[in-house]
Structure formats: C-alpha cells, structure tokens
C-alpha cells in the first residue's frame, strides 16, 4: 500500500520540476544495501525495474491514529505490499505488477539477519523473505521468481503514506458499491469520495470487504495509484516546484532505498517521462493457478501460473506493454435541451416490430470533449428498459429511448405514452429485486427519481418528464482483459 504512494511520486518526478528541487530530494533518504554480494543475477533487459515494498511501520504513528484507523497490535518486521514496476526505456510507460504477499516462494539459501542462523532453500510465503533476510533477500527472491533484474529497491511505511496523501490534498476514489471492512474501519457508500491520508490507508489495507481478500485489496491499491497520479497531474503539483517538493519530502522522509537511488535517478526520470498521465500507466497482478498450496506451520499460499507468469515477466524484460487500449467513452447523441412544447398527442406511440440492438460499449462513439462516463454497478447491456413519454411534448419518448440505447441500455425501441402527461422530474420505476439495475439506470438520467414497484418484474420503466435534458454516459468498473489482464490508469481512475 505504501509502495503505491512511492510509485506515484516517482512517476510524478518526471513532470518537469527543476534541477535544484530534485537534487535536494535525495539527501533525506535512508539507505539500505539491497544488492550486497548478489551473484548470478538476471540480464538487465531494457528499461528500469523498481521493487517497491510497503512495510508495517505502525510503531511510528501516534496512538490517536492507531485508534482512529484500527492499527492496533504490535508492528511486524514484514512486508505488507510488494509491487514490481517497469519504466519503459522510452519513458512513455510504467507497468505495475502486484505480487501477492501470500505467494508460494522458495527462498534462496541465506543467513537470517535477526538470529544469525543459516538457512537452506526452503518454501515460505513471499513476504517472509523480508522478515528472514531484509531487503537483500527480498530482492534475491523476487529476481529468482521473476527472472527480472531489479534496478532499484524502495521501501516506505504507514507514516509517509498518510503524509503524502494529505500533502497532495487528498485522493478521489469512486465505487459503484458500498465498501465496508470492520477490521480497518473502512466505510464508503456508493459514489465518489475524497480520502485524506488516514482514510486512504484504510482503503488500501482493507481485505475483508468481499471474498476476494488479498487479491481484491491489490486491485484497490492499483486504483489508488491511478487516482493519485490523476490527482497530481490535474492539480498543478507537477508544475509547481514548491508543491512537488513538499509532496516528495512527505514521502521520502520515511523511505529507505538502495545506495544508488538518488538525485541523478530522479533527474533521469524527469528528462525521460515528461508528459506522463494516468493513461501512461498500466496495472496487473501475477497470474495465479486455481489451487494454492498449504504449507505446514505457514498456512495457505497462492501459486503463480508458471506459463502465464513467465509470459508476463518476459514482456517486462523485453520492454513490451501489457495492457490493451481501452474502449472509447460513450456519449448521448441526443444531448441538448428537450424539444419545445407542441399540441397534445392523445394516442400512444405505436411499437415497432424489431427494435434496434443496443450499441456495445466498445463501439460507442466518444469524441474529444464528451463527458466522462460515470461508474455504475450493472452494465447497461444487462438492463431492459421501457420508456414512456409522460409529457405533452411530441417525440420526447422516442428521443429518450434512442439516447438510452446509444448509451448501451436494452430499450424496447417502442416508447409508449404514459397515463399521466404532466410529469416534470423523470421517474425510474423498478421492482425492488432489480434495485442495482435501477440505480445504474438512474445514474444515466441525471435528476431522475427512483420509485419502487413490487411485482413489476425485470423490465425497468422510465417516465420521461419535461425536465429531461440528456442521458449521461455510464460504465461498469473496467475488467482486466488480454494476455496479462492489465488495465491502464485512465481505465481504473474515477471518471
């Protein structure tokens, strides 16, 4: 989780800040010898590879913060988050691969840094490498498992994470469903939220929200990285040397890094990666087998899919992108004010025999300047809608039907005339069993009102009112696709 913030700030260092500002940043970093006596390492390949590690470090926070953010218990000498980040040689792409902390690993032979005991190669969870041998053994283990040569090692804790988020002014997170975790105290309603440092820590630590446990947590950490990059690139942090210095100092004040990572490396990033944006980043996790392994005295572990993970790490070594281009953003072609009033139309609109098919999300037009799609819980293609004209404006029902279909909803293509003709605020009538679909549809109709009707069935009804103006584009959370199931930053950040 803290590794997420480290990555964000390193990427932001490429935003065009001055030489003097960057040079001053490397002086306050604690140093570790992460590469001491390492032999038989992988070939370097192309680009730059960073191993970002988040450690517990709760001993450095205040008692009030412990209580507020549910950080009780003794600190552990362990890693909580691990990310392998590849920065492309041309400086145009950052590929982030999350390494599950419960991954089955075979740690190389080593001497325990705490007890001095010599160990042969043995199986553990990957996060145990830090506990047994610190940064050096962690790097050796990751290189052994991935075949990727680590260029630099960075480690960050709770304190720097919270300070960095607060200094940047908070991070915007959106969710189409409620997120609640009694272990961390996270409690977010559906919608968009601006999180401060402590709340952001709850968000990236939570692993008891659903059945996805640590894998779901890694996805939220990736979304956080994209959101932080989006926040910084849109709020002027990159263009203001003083603001960037403050943000970076908040982070680097608690960072440990290898001896070779300093001002020169930040300046190289600065030169190579100007113009970086959320779409320049891509996120994925190591592909896993369906069945893990239970180790005596250690517990359940997850095992990497040997074939898929090898292809993933080969792509990193060969400096190739992981993600596919995202689909264009949908828009409402009928956007604009509703037509003016006309003579009453007493008869209902005659249904057509074969309504057109809804437009798939991947084929909907999305020209520059069109509004970004809001997140919803149910994809429009799965929502069946019957539109009614509840005004005396000719053609309004047809306009709304066409606009909803263009946004992907499965309208009947046969708008009808409602019994009532004086509705102002558009209404969405729904059976309570389809409440998630109803909320998704209402999101596409700004200002609409939800009305539950028991026994109505699976088809939602829209009573188009005189205040209707346009259908807003909507989308569900992006799902990983392609060889490596990777997503770009603009696909996972808030609309």
């Amino acid at each position: 989780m803290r590794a997420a913030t480290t990555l964000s700030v390193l990427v932001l260092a490429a935003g065009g800040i001055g030489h003097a500002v960057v040079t001053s940043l490397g002086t306050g970093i604690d140093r570790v010898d992460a590469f001491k006596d390492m032999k038989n390492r992988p070939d370097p390949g192309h680009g730059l590879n960073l191993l970002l590690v988040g450690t517990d470090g709760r001993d450095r926070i205040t008692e009030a913060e412990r209580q507020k953010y549910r950080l009780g218990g003794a600190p552990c000498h362990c890693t909580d988050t691990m990310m392998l980040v590849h920065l492309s040689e041309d400086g145009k792409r950052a590929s982030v691969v999350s390494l599950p902390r419960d991954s089955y690993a075979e740690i190389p032979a080593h001497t325990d840094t705490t007890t001095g005991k010599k160990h042969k190669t043995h199986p553990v969870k990957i996060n145990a490498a830090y506990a047994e041998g610190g940064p050096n053994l962690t790097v050796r283990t990751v290189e052994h498992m991935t075949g990727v040569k680590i260029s630099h090692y960075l480690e960050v804790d709770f304190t720097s994470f919270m300070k960095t988020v607060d200094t940047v002014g908070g991070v915007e997170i959106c969710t189409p469903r409620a997120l609640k975790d009694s272990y961390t105290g996270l409690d977010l309603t559906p919608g968009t939220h601006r999180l401060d440092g402590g709340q952001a820590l709850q968000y990236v630590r939570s692993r008891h929200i659903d059945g996805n446990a640590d894998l779901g947590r890694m996805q939220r950490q990736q979304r956080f990285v994209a959101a932080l990059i989006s926040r910084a690139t849109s709020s002027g942090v990159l263009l203001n040397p003083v603001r960037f210095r403050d943000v970076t100092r908040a982070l680097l004040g608690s960072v440990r890094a290898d001896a070779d990572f300093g001002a020169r490396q930040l300046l190289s990033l600065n030169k190579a990666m100007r113009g970086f944006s959320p779409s320049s980043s891509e996120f994925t996790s190591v592909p896993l087998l369906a069945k893990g392994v239970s180790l005596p005295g250690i517990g359940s572990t997850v095992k990497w899919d040997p074939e898929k993970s090898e292809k993933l790490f080969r792509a990193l070594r060969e400096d190739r992108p992981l993600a596919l281009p995202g689909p264009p953003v949908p828009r409402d072609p009928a956007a604009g004010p509703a037509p003016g009033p006309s003579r009453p139309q007493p008869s209902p609109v005659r249904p057509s025999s074969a309504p057109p098919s809804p437009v798939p999300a991947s084929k909907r037009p999305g020209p520059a300047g069109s509004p970004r799609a809001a997140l919803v819980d149910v994809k429009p293609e799965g929502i069946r809608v019957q539109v009614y004209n509840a005004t005396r404006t000719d053609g309004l029902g047809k306009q709304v039907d066409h606009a909803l279909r263009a946004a992907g909803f499965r309208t009947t293509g046969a708008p009808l005339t409602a019994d009532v003709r004086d509705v102002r605020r558009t209404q969405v009538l729904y059976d309570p069993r389809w409440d998630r679909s109803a909320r998704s549809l209402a999101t596409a109709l700004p200002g609409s009102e939800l009305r539950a009707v028991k026994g109505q069935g699976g088809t939602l009804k829209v009573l188009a009112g005189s205040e209707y103006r346009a259908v807003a584009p909507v989308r569900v959370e992006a799902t990983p696709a392609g060889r490596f199931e990777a997503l770009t930053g603009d696909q996972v950040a808030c609309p």
Side-chain angles (χ1 to χ4, degrees):
M1 66 200 64
R2 277 73 62 197
T5 314
T6 311
L7 165 62
S8 306
V9 173
L10 290 175
V11 167
L12 302 182
I17 59 176
H19 181 283
V21 175
V22 178
T23 303
S24 68
L25 298 177
T27 57
I29 302 176
D30 287 340
R31 300 298 176 181
V32 296
D33 195 349
F35 304 106
K36 183 179 180 181
D37 299 329
M38 290 186 62
K39 301 176 182 178
N40 301 318
R41 302 183 66 192
D43 293 332
H46 302 282
L48 191 70
N49 301 307
L50 302 98
L51 181 60
L52 307 182
V53 170
T55 58
D56 190 309
R58 68 187 69 193
D59 54 328
R60 302 181 65 174
I61 63 174
T62 67
E63 185 59 33
E65 289 172 330
R66 279 176 181 261
Q67 298 298 324
K68 185 175 182 179
Y69 302 119
R70 313 273 179 96
L71 295 168
C76 69
H77 185 64
C78 61
T79 59
D80 192 64
T81 302
M82 207 177 290
M83 291 180 176
L84 179 58
V85 181
H86 174 80
L87 302 178
S88 63
E89 194 167 39
D90 62 9
K92 296 181 179 180
R93 185 181 68 256
S95 304
V96 184
V97 180
S98 294
L99 310 180
R101 67 177 188 176
D102 292 337
S103 296
Y104 174 90
E106 293 188 358
I107 291 184
H110 65 282
T111 300
D112 192 306
T113 56
T114 303
T115 65
K117 182 179 179 181
K118 295 184 179 298
H119 294 278
K120 297 180 180 179
T121 298
H122 61 283
V124 294
K125 292 182 180 180
I126 194 171
N127 66 341
Y130 187 91
E132 293 190 22
N136 183 270
L137 185 59
T138 301
V139 171
R140 290 176 59 198
T141 302
V142 171
E143 287 192 345
H144 173 71
M145 295 178 68
T146 65
V148 174
K149 184 174 182 178
I150 305 301
S151 311
H152 294 289
Y153 172 91
L154 294 103
E155 177 186 313
V156 65
D157 64 13
F158 286 152
T159 303
S160 56
F161 178 93
M162 292 191 289
K163 287 182 178 179
T164 302
V165 175
D166 286 337
T167 305
V168 82
V171 171
E172 192 175 79
I173 293 294
C174 49
T175 173
R177 62 186 64 87
L179 299 178
K180 191 168 186 176
D181 186 339
S182 59
Y183 288 82
T184 64
L186 179 70
D187 189 3
L188 299 180
T189 57
T192 301
H193 304 266
R194 175 66 59 82
L195 307 184
D196 62 21
Q199 294 168 326
L201 183 62
Q202 291 174 315
Y203 177 79
V204 297
R205 287 186 63 234
S206 293
R207 60 197 303 263
H208 300 280
I209 292 175
D210 49 35
N212 292 324
D214 198 47
L215 300 182
R217 187 183 70 146
M218 287 192 303
Q219 292 175 347
R220 285 185 289 277
Q221 291 171 356
Q222 293 169 356
R223 293 181 188 280
F224 172 83
V225 173
L228 184 55
I229 292 174
S230 177
R231 168 66 175 164
T233 55
S234 63
S235 64
V237 169
L238 298 183
L239 302 178
N240 186 322
V242 175
R243 288 197 65 195
F244 183 85
R245 178 200 60 197
D246 293 342
V247 171
T248 311
R249 282 180 176 173
L251 171 70
L252 298 184
S254 301
V255 159
R256 301 205 304 166
D258 64 271
D260 291 332
F261 187 85
R264 182 172 60 86
Q265 284 68 34
L266 286 173
L267 285 170
S268 295
L269 290 174
N270 177 22
K271 181 178 179 181
M273 298 178 65
R274 295 174 187 238
F276 205 85
S277 69
S279 62
S280 307
S281 57
E282 53 185 9
F283 303 87
T284 192
S285 301
V286 179
L288 303 175
L289 293 174
K291 188 176 182 179
V293 175
S294 182
L295 300 176
I298 295 175
S300 299
T301 66
V302 293
K303 288 209 73 173
W304 296 0
D305 184 306
E307 183 177 347
K308 292 181 179 179
S309 61
E310 168 54 29
K311 290 180 179 178
L312 169 65
F313 296 122
R314 185 188 309 142
L316 293 185
R317 292 192 294 269
E318 296 175 356
D319 200 21
R320 292 186 282 114
L322 308 179
L324 299 174
V329 177
R331 69 181 181 93
D332 176 8
S342 61
R343 293 189 340 185
Q345 172 59 266
S347 59
V349 177
R350 185 180 301 276
S352 62
S353 57
S357 300
V359 182
S362 61
K363 296 183 179 180
R364 293 175 217 148
S370 60
R372 296 196 66 182
L375 280 180
V376 293
D377 205 10
V378 180
K379 61 182 180 180
E381 292 84 355
I383 302 175
R384 184 168 175 79
V385 183
Q386 173 65 62
V387 176
Y388 292 82
N389 185 350
T391 72
R392 298 187 182 278
T393 300
D394 287 340
L396 180 60
K398 185 176 182 180
Q399 178 185 346
V400 176
D401 183 280
H402 285 185
L404 287 172
R405 182 164 290 271
F409 292 92
R410 292 174 55 210
T411 66
T412 62
L416 302 174
T417 300
D419 293 336
V420 290
R421 308 296 302 280
D422 57 354
V423 172
R424 296 182 59 187
R425 185 179 179 186
T426 297
Q427 300 176 9
V428 176
L429 281 58
Y430 69 99
D431 189 309
R433 293 174 295 174
W434 281 268
D435 59 328
R436 292 169 57 240
S437 295
R439 289 194 299 270
S440 299
L441 176 58
T443 300
L445 294 165
S448 61
E449 177 184 9
L450 283 167
R451 284 179 51 196
V453 181
K454 289 185 178 180
Q456 177 175 291
T459 299
L460 278 58
K461 297 179 180 180
V462 172
L463 302 186
S466 59
E467 295 179 353
Y468 167 81
R469 291 296 177 268
V471 169
V474 296
R475 65 176 175 86
V476 294
E477 287 183 310
T479 53
R483 293 179 303 159
F484 307 119
E485 298 188 342
L487 294 170
T488 56
D490 56 330
Q491 289 177 288
V492 298
C494 286

